[in-house]
Amino acid sequence: MAVAKGEEVPKPASEAASLASVNTAESDPIVVIDKQFLAPNPVELKIQHTIFTVAENYFDITDDNGNPVFKVRDKLFSFPNRRVMFDADGRPLVSLRQKIFSVRRRWKVFRGESEKSSDFLFSVRKSSLILLRMKTRMAMSLDVFLASNTSEILPDFRIKENWHDSSCTVLCGDTIIARMHRNHNIRSLVINADNYGITAYPNVDYAFIVALVVILDEMNRSIDC
């Protein structure tokens, strides 16, 4: 097929779709926790989740070079269903709290260590009461609602889990804005730990993505218990 001068050669459909996903985020940045966690290129992060006791869970998040980026700890003097996410300098960014007696296991996220309605940022809940059971695992779908979405008719973001390859995608509409996959290694087998790899797409708040993965992990763990 001839191409006129100055006309771009059409890309394969798969490549065009991939570029469309990235370009959407670049032209319309997604900020939920803070704009300082935006980057012009994809951000690769690693999450290590270690369980010491039922009431003591640690999430340590590092970059590709092993440098600390975030950490998530149980909130002191609170019930086990509350977590606080800190930046690399130990400043609290958000608090994650599971709503008691929630049928869909809703988690609510607040700015800093607050639980005031004025600091409410977003919530996460199961998309449906019906989960797809595969062997001993559940394939979960989650809906994410920003604080401004009071009607909750449609979610602002969705999390789709793929049981077959231990991965999930985060979507804004039909656009993928992040991916997560679980890593299996000897350390995970020796101690009670899980390891994840995260890719946040360009100009997507990667602190927000980390918070979503932590909540997904907590929901899956509560089902497995």
Side-chain angles (χ1 to χ4, degrees), residues 15 17 37 79 92 94 98 117 132 148 150 171 215 225:
E15 183 181 352
F37 302 116
F79 293 104
V94 290
Q98 184 179 4
S117 58
L132 175 62
S148 58
T150 56
L171 301 102
I215 292 173
C225 292

Side-chain angles (χ1 to χ4, degrees), residues 23 39 42 94 127 142 149 165 171 179 187 209 212 222:
N23 289 339
V94 290
S127 300
L142 304 179
N149 186 355
D165 58 3
L171 301 102
R179 297 181 184 273
R187 175 180 170 82
I209 300 302
L212 293 180
S222 65

